[in-house]
Amino acid sequence: MTTQQGNQSPLAEEPGLQGVLDPDYLALGLGGTNMMGMLWSVAMGRRAVGVEMRGEPSLGVHWNIREDMFHQLGLIDQLMLERYGEDGVPRLGDGRLFRLAECFYGPDTIAGQISADEVVTSFETRMHVGGTIHHIEFIDDRWKNGAPHRTITVTPPPPAPAVPDPSMIREDLAEVLDGPSTFQTAASELLRLWRRYLEKLEEMDLAKGMETPRVRLFLNHRVITEEGDGFVDEPDGRKRIRIEEVQELDYRGKFVRMRLPGSVPIEIGVPELFVVAQGFYSSDAERLGFAQRDVLVDHQDGRGEVVAQADFLAGFCEVLVDGRLRRRISTEFDEDGNEYWVRQIAVGHENDPEVGWILVQVPDFEKFDPIAEGIVPPETDPASPEYFAGYQQLLYNCFIKHAAAVLELTEEDLNEVQMDYGPKLFSLVERIGDDALLASNGVVAGDSFGNGHFLTSGGANAGVIGHSARILRYWQDRDEGVPAEKAIRVLADAIKVDTEAWLAVSASEFSQFAPINFGAERIQQIADSSGIDVTDRANMVDASRRFRHSLVTLDYSDWRRLFIRGGRLHTAPLPPLHPLHPDARNTAPDAMDPARTA
């Protein structure tokens, strides 16, 4: 272990808190970035402490994951065995070694409706947590020459690796993001898999009576928020950190957290490295002087640089999308006949009929104004329940219209399907910080540092694959004798490079038709088939001129406050893609049945 000499705090360790004081790695926020960071740290022989105030993972979205993560999990398994031997590695419920890569995916097990806990406890030994992608489809439904037009591009999915191979881990995140995804997984289940591994490490070390357990977890805690406390300045610029246990209340429709009555602060001391990765917005990073700025993009439409922003409706439907990544781009016209391009995406999970995660881009000109749409009388108070009900109905209608189109279902059929979440309106705004360095011993990472377009899980891959691997590199540098102040500077710069790669790859998603992870050759093939130039741009309305309500970033706390629209489970496979644009089918009766036009 290469903890800096002199790093230790002049504080006594509290009873029951062995291994907490002055850890090598402190994770503030236990999302994908920081849990992988903890795993890399322990695999490199370090002590890691994790702090999370939201308890169990509850993020309900589905992630499209590049294969590099599978290889990274395999490398962590390898390093753990080499360093600690079989006796130092957690075990599954049936006594087998807990191998992260095998639990996530293996050719000898199958995908389906499964929870990480069922795999970890060995309640289910035939299945793995992740699913593979078998269908990658892109539907170009933009109008051409004043008429509806459809081009369908089906690309072969990348083969899933049979075994993890560390030599296949790519260092260039732009290359990783520009390629296709191999796996799909429920974010909450992958997070839970990592969490259970870390919990088992903590449990086994405490059971052995180790004075310095490799992992300590505080799962309903936060850095103390009072001014002058929480982050305490050390003379050399490092931060000493104190945390508190919190109680979470659902107070008048909002989650409110306060210190648990009767609890006392916990001294973490001075970590060699602390990483703040707490989602799109981090109050901890903000307290340390960090700020994000909007990313500006020139859409080549004569307006110069504008904020990179797009608005979406998110919904989680019980539809068998299966191991599929389907994307659609279509044309919408405003009342003046101006053309706008909007995107939809459908993500499923292999063999799981309850997973249909649908994202629908809202046309820039859409207002969702129930008075303008004639749903409520002109004199209706915008603060009234009647107005809000009309607004919600407009959201739902917009979602169903576009979701049905990407799924090739009728709106009537989709209306009958159970929806476990949404539709929820949120805004994607690309943002990034100037420097990831928060203190001489701390950085900000993951979405907390910056975020780009998410339609192919760019954030998950940037944090889990990119930023976490930079933490591995930090410990490798320290083992090679690099001073901590130099190693953390390299780490902060690398986090920014990765985030900028994500922003660069995803910039075209805001105005150009091309999906970001199809590759240049496939994009040109799509353009050739559609007859629309690859450099053509969509009309966009400046974000400041949009008139909408409740437009915020997606609130992950919503996943613990579900509002279910009752309905049926759609277990039938999705219909085959129709060769004609939806608007052209009524004018071509003989082409209504795809089988008759094959």
Side-chain angles (χ1 to χ4, degrees):
M1 189 176 297
T2 60
T3 301
Q4 267 191 301
Q5 294 298 315
N7 270 11
Q8 287 73 24
S9 304
L11 300 169
E13 204 154 49
E14 295 289 335
L17 295 177
Q18 59 267 37
V20 173
L21 199 60
D22 302 325
D24 298 302
Y25 184 83
L26 173 63
L28 297 179
L30 290 181
T33 302
N34 252 339
M35 279 201 280
M36 281 291 284
M38 291 184 72
L39 291 168
W40 284 124
S41 298
V42 174
M44 292 297 292
R46 268 65 181 192
R47 285 189 301 120
V49 171
V51 178
E52 171 61 61
M53 66 180 177
R54 291 172 291 190
E56 276 291 298
S58 58
L59 182 57
V61 299
H62 242 66
W63 283 340
N64 298 297
I65 299 292
R66 313 304 195 261
E67 72 169 83
D68 302 70
M69 190 209 70
F70 175 66
H71 299 309
Q72 288 180 331
L73 295 180
L75 179 56
I76 290 171
D77 289 332
Q78 175 185 322
L79 292 174
M80 290 293 292
L81 279 170
E82 290 175 353
R83 182 172 297 276
Y84 302 110
E86 290 191 1
D87 290 341
V89 175
R91 292 184 179 270
L92 301 174
D94 62 1
R96 290 176 296 137
L97 287 177
F98 191 158
R99 299 179 188 268
L100 289 162
E102 288 182 6
C103 290
F104 178 72
Y105 170 76
D108 298 326
T109 47
I110 60 175
Q113 191 174 9
I114 188 71
S115 71
D117 283 332
E118 291 176 287
V119 174
V120 172
T121 61
S122 298
F123 178 82
E124 176 57 78
T125 60
R126 302 165 300 166
M127 303 179 73
H128 48 248
V129 171
T132 54
I133 298 177
H134 296 277
H135 311 279
I136 301 178
E137 302 155 340
F138 182 72
I139 307 168
D140 186 351
D141 271 349
R142 293 172 297 163
W143 282 44
K144 177 182 176 183
N145 299 326
H149 181 268
R150 166 166 283 198
T151 300
I152 297 172
T153 302
V154 178
T155 64
V163 294
D165 181 355
S167 70
M168 297 298 292
I169 300 172
R170 294 168 286 186
E171 294 187 4
D172 183 355
L173 188 65
E175 180 184 353
V176 173
L177 294 177
D178 198 41
S181 296
T182 303
F183 301 104
Q184 291 174 324
T185 181
S188 60
E189 297 307 329
L190 181 54
L191 293 170
R192 195 166 280 117
L193 179 68
W194 294 326
R195 178 74 65 83
R196 297 297 179 259
Y197 192 95
L198 293 168
E199 289 172 345
K200 283 181 172 289
L201 282 173
E202 181 182 38
E203 290 168 4
M204 65 189 296
D205 288 358
L206 289 174
K208 293 177 181 177
M210 292 178 59
E211 294 184 3
T212 55
R214 292 167 290 179
V215 170
R216 296 307 308 265
L217 296 172
F218 298 90
L219 302 181
N220 295 101
H221 295 71
R222 67 182 178 189
V223 177
I224 295 173
T225 58
E226 281 80 3
E227 187 70 27
D229 204 346
F231 294 104
V232 182
D233 293 333
E234 293 289 295
D236 59 3
R238 292 176 297 139
K239 299 291 183 182
R240 178 165 58 88
I241 297 171
R242 287 158 45 87
I243 66 173
E244 61 184 2
E245 189 172 2
V246 296
Q247 181 177 13
E248 186 176 72
L249 307 172
D250 192 344
Y251 181 71
R252 295 182 177 178
K254 290 187 177 181
F255 283 117
V256 176
R257 298 177 180 90
M258 57 182 294
R259 180 182 293 182
L260 182 69
S263 63
V264 296
I266 298 172
E267 288 281 356
I268 300 296
V270 182
E272 173 169 338
L273 172 66
F274 72 88
V275 176
V276 177
Q278 298 168 324
F280 294 115
Y281 169 73
S282 168
S283 58
D284 283 343
E286 187 176 65
R287 289 174 62 192
L288 295 171
F290 176 76
Q292 291 181 331
R293 55 178 170 80
D294 291 341
V295 174
L296 302 179
V297 176
D298 189 343
H299 299 298
Q300 306 298 317
D301 56 5
R303 293 187 294 123
E305 292 188 331
V306 296
V307 175
Q309 176 171 334
D311 304 335
F312 286 83
L313 287 165
F316 192 72
C317 306
E318 295 197 4
V319 175
L320 179 60
V321 179
D322 208 4
R324 173 177 275 103
L325 175 58
R326 177 181 290 178
R327 302 192 54 182
R328 178 177 182 260
I329 185 169
S330 57
T331 294
E332 292 289 315
F333 295 97
D334 65 15
E335 59 186 12
D336 297 321
N338 297 311
E339 179 181 357
Y340 295 80
W341 299 344
V342 292
R343 293 164 168 78
Q344 305 94 47
I345 185 170
V347 174
H349 189 94
E350 185 182 6
N351 300 328
D352 190 344
E354 294 187 3
V355 176
W357 173 242
I358 316 296
L359 291 172
V360 167
Q361 186 178 356
V362 178
D364 281 353
F365 57 83
E366 182 64 70
K367 297 180 179 180
F368 298 126
D369 184 348
I371 293 177
E373 296 294 333
I375 294 179
V376 297
E379 65 275 10
T380 304
D381 182 356
S384 69
E386 293 79 11
Y387 186 95
F388 186 71
Y391 162 70
Q392 288 286 337
Q393 188 60 46
L394 290 173
L395 290 183
Y396 182 76
N397 292 345
C398 179
F399 176 82
I400 289 295
K401 171 187 173 183
H402 293 287
V406 74
L407 294 172
E408 285 285 0
L409 297 174
T410 66
E411 293 181 32
E412 293 75 16
D413 283 343
L414 192 55
N415 270 316
E416 295 178 0
V417 169
Q418 178 155 309
M419 185 180 296
D420 298 328
Y421 177 85
K424 180 76 172 181
L425 179 65
F426 67 100
S427 185
L428 165 70
V429 182
E430 283 198 345
R431 309 196 77 195
I432 189 173
D434 291 323
D435 190 351
L437 191 67
L438 297 175
S440 60
N441 63 330
V443 297
V444 56
D447 289 343
S448 295
F449 178 70
N451 62 280
H453 215 294
F454 56 81
L455 277 191
T456 53
S457 304
N461 287 283
V464 169
I465 295 174
H467 294 177
S468 78
R470 305 301 186 177
I471 294 165
L472 168 64
R473 181 72 258 176
Y474 174 89
W475 295 123
Q476 291 172 333
D477 287 345
R478 297 288 287 122
D479 283 348
E480 294 168 5
V482 177
E485 59 270 17
K486 182 177 180 180
I488 197 171
R489 180 69 265 171
V490 171
L491 170 62
D493 291 343
I495 289 170
K496 185 172 185 179
V497 167
D498 283 344
T499 301
E500 288 176 334
W502 177 21
L503 297 179
V505 169
S506 64
S508 64
E509 289 278 10
F510 289 93
S511 61
Q512 292 177 274
F513 83 91
I516 66 174
N517 65 331
F518 268 54
E521 183 177 346
R522 287 171 176 165
I523 290 171
Q524 189 60 54
Q525 290 175 355
I526 297 171
D528 291 342
S529 298
S530 67
I532 302 176
D533 193 274
V534 70
T535 61
D536 278 2
R537 305 274 176 158
N539 289 309
M540 299 188 72
V541 171
D542 192 322
S544 65
R545 293 192 285 117
R546 296 176 185 167
F547 176 80
R548 293 187 184 141
H549 308 272
S550 303
L551 200 56
V552 293
T553 51
L554 192 60
D555 184 357
Y556 292 147
S557 294
D558 284 350
W559 289 104
R560 288 174 292 163
R561 192 193 291 119
L562 300 184
F563 177 80
I564 297 177
R565 293 176 182 267
R568 61 184 174 83
L569 176 66
H570 191 285
T571 59
L574 293 182
L577 289 171
H578 200 292
L580 292 182
H581 189 288
D583 293 341
R585 296 173 197 176
N586 291 335
T587 61
D590 291 340
M592 289 300 290
D593 182 359
R596 295 170 63 181
T597 62

